Structures are given as structure tokens and as C-alpha cells.
Amino acid sequence: MKKAAAAGALLALLLGLSVWNTHYMDAVIRDMTERIELCRGRGREGDFPSAEEELSAAEALWARMGAYAHIFLRQTETDTVENAIRDVRECLRAGDADGAEVALQWLEGRLAAMAAMEHISWESVF
Amino acid sequence: MAIVLLRTIIIYLVLLGCMRIMGKRQLGELELSELVASVLVADLASLPLQDIGIPLMNGLVSILTLFCMELILSGLVLRFGRLRGALFGKPCFLMEHGVINQRELRKNRFTLDELTEELRRQSILDLNTVNYAILETDGTLNVILRPEASPATASQLNCPVTDAGYPYTLISDGRVISENLPACGKDEQWLREECVRRGVQGPEEVFFLSCTETGTVYFAGKEAAR
């Protein structure tokens, strides 16, 4: 029974870590989304340098996850986010507001999908 | 390639640890939940090995979860006997008092050919010699012969027998297993003298030496030493 109890404790720990992981991902993606919104606003105003600053702030939040992202997320997901950020930056530097808008929508969509996957729902489980 | 190598080593060690903790039952005949866990673990372990884009943590978390589930279930089954019946079923008599139980055969989808095949596997050709044939929960068939068809025991033949006792390994490939010496009432002095008596200088030249409680020794020297 000791082994079973220890296994129960380990399972509870894994469940707890899963819950923490979901909250952590939610917090990071929420902060990134706020920065992306600000970037979108600046871009619409034509203030591309400020938009790029907001984008860099979002990128810094992503980079702050560091090893966590590469340990817990699929490589395709991390690559998609990093590529999307690069695409937005290229559009902003080129002064292409429409292109930046499309790229930002794509980036937001990927982040939202990533957050949704960590949440327990019928869609994510099945 | 280095990543695949490292992941393989990590998953291998984790699996080894998990199976070791789960116990010897996993190595022998498997119950239903054990079979499911073993099959799943094999599949889950291979995924991060084949695709380095999949986080290793995904595989490890899955394996650990299965390992926990298996241990918890084993503990619950040990604690609640009824749960064992509900999960694994109960043994059933395919033959009872020498009579084939046709209802149980149908219920377990066990054909007559399979029954005779299993009996032949246990060197039983004549069904008249079978008293009970029990289909266990892990799918094995245990056969109990009629007393008149069972091999005679020494006590039935009134043959005096002596119990030589359990043979304890004292030397294995040149290494002395000291903790077994007291069990057969010997010490290292005796061991060295026995080695000399057998024509070798010491335990390092012995491949295998065992001794029972009654002093029966089995000796095999290393080929290079001979």
C-alpha cells in the first residue's frame, strides 16, 4: 500500500504541475496578447517604431520562458510563434500596416490555440 | 542524432526504474491492467524517440502517469478484493471432476481445440487423467491431474529422502557473496580452504560455487585458471 500511496502522491503532484502549467501559459500568453494589442494600435496609427517596441516587449516575454517553452512545447509550436513574430517585425520595418495586421492576427491565433490546448475541454481532450 | 541517443538513454532508464518498482509481476504473466500498461508504455516511450520535435517531457509525463495508475490500481485491488473480481474477472473451471464444462467454454470463447492444445502443451494427451482445468485471470490454463494419474511422491512410495537444503551462491564469477556464508553455516576461512581443496588458489579463480545448508557443494572453476 505504501507504493500505491506514493504513486497517488506522485500523480497528485503531476496533476498539480499540470494546473500550474496551464496558469503559467495563460499568464504569459495574456501578457503577450496585451503587448500585441498595443503593437496593433501603434501600427494602425502609423507609428511603426513604437509598434516594433511593443512587439519586442512581447518577444521578450516569450524569450523569458526560455527553456520552459522548449521543454514543454512542441518544436513546431515554438517555431510558429517565433516565425510569426519575425514576420510582424519585417512588415513593421517595411511600413506595411496591412501586412503587419495580418501577421499579428496569425500570431494571436497561434498563441490562443496554444493556450486553448492546455485547457481541459471536450475539444482538447478528444 | 545525439539528441535521439540521449533521449533513448533517458527513456530507457526511466522505464527500467518504473518496471523495477512495479515489481516482478510485470515480468511474468500479465493481468489485464498490466498488459494495457505495458503496451501503452512501449508506444508512448517510442514517440519522443522517433520525433525530436515532440518534447521529451510529453513522453515522460505519460509514462509516469501510467506507472502511477498501475501502482494505485494494484494497491486498490490488494485492499478491496471485490475490485479484483470486477477488473480482472475470476478463475473458472473449464473441466471439473474430469467433466468438460461446456457452458464455461462458450462463456470464455475457449474452443475445444484450444483446450486440447493447452493440455498437450502440458504433456497431457488423455483427458481422463484430468481432474480440474482452471482458466486463470491472466489467461493461463492450470491443470490438476487425478490422484491416480499424478506422479507418485516419495512419501507415497515410502522412500526415505533427505532435504539437502537450499543452495546458496557463495562465489559468482570470482566474486565472493559474503552475505550468503552465514546462511549455510560457513565462513571465509572455509571458503578459502575449499578453493584450495578444489585445486585453485582462491575465490578469484572460481566461476561458480554454491553450498547448501547440509554442506553439498557445487564447484566450477574459471576456464583460464584450469
Side-chain angles (χ1 to χ4, degrees), chain A residues 1 3-11 14 18 69-76, chain B residues 21-22 52-58 61 64-65 67-69 71-72 75-76 79:
Chain A
M1 281 305 285
K3 278 186 185 176
L10 180 57
L11 195 60
L14 288 172
S18 303
H70 292 282
I71 288 172
F72 287 97
L73 301 175
R74 284 175 177 256
Q75 193 176 355
T76 47
Chain B
I21 294 171
M22 277 201 263
I52 60 172
I54 297 175
L56 183 62
M57 197 55 65
N58 281 16
V61 168
L64 284 175
T65 304
F67 156 72
C68 291
M69 294 294 297
L71 278 182
I72 291 169
L76 288 174
R79 178 79 173 80

Side-chain angles (χ1 to χ4, degrees), chain B residues 4-23:
Chain B
V4 172
L5 180 73
L6 201 56
R7 284 185 168 202
T8 306
I9 292 170
I10 292 170
I11 295 239
Y12 173 72
L13 291 174
V14 168
L15 277 177
L16 203 62
C18 287
M19 299 300 271
R20 176 66 186 88
I21 294 171
M22 277 201 263

Side-chain angles (χ1 to χ4, degrees), chain B residues 91-204:
Chain B
C92 58
F93 288 87
L94 297 184
M95 285 184 72
E96 197 167 0
H97 299 301
V99 177
I100 296 175
N101 191 332
Q102 297 174 40
R103 185 168 167 271
E104 285 294 332
L105 278 179
R106 274 196 302 275
K107 197 172 150 191
N108 288 283
R109 297 189 305 279
F110 210 89
T111 65
L112 206 48
D113 286 339
E114 283 169 332
L115 177 63
T116 51
E117 182 186 326
E118 280 298 323
L119 292 174
R120 279 197 303 275
R121 198 168 279 145
Q122 299 185 44
S123 305
I124 298 166
L125 293 175
D126 185 4
L127 267 70
N128 286 312
T129 61
V130 177
N131 202 355
Y132 302 99
I134 305 160
L135 183 64
E136 306 291 354
T137 55
D138 60 3
T140 53
L141 187 74
N142 275 327
V143 179
I144 313 295
L145 296 174
R146 290 182 183 275
E148 58 270 23
S150 303
T153 63
S155 62
Q156 287 170 334
L157 296 170
N158 288 322
C159 283
V161 289
T162 52
D163 181 9
Y166 181 79
Y168 290 92
T169 302
L170 300 181
I171 301 174
S172 175
D173 200 11
R175 191 175 63 88
V176 174
I177 302 171
S178 312
E179 56 265 28
N180 285 347
L181 284 166
C184 49
K186 306 295 181 193
D187 54 21
E188 296 212 12
Q189 174 70 18
W190 172 89
L191 197 61
R192 278 192 294 275
E193 286 169 1
E194 185 67 18
C195 289
V196 169
R197 209 171 68 78
R198 299 277 177 168
V200 294
Q201 297 294 324
E204 59 282 353

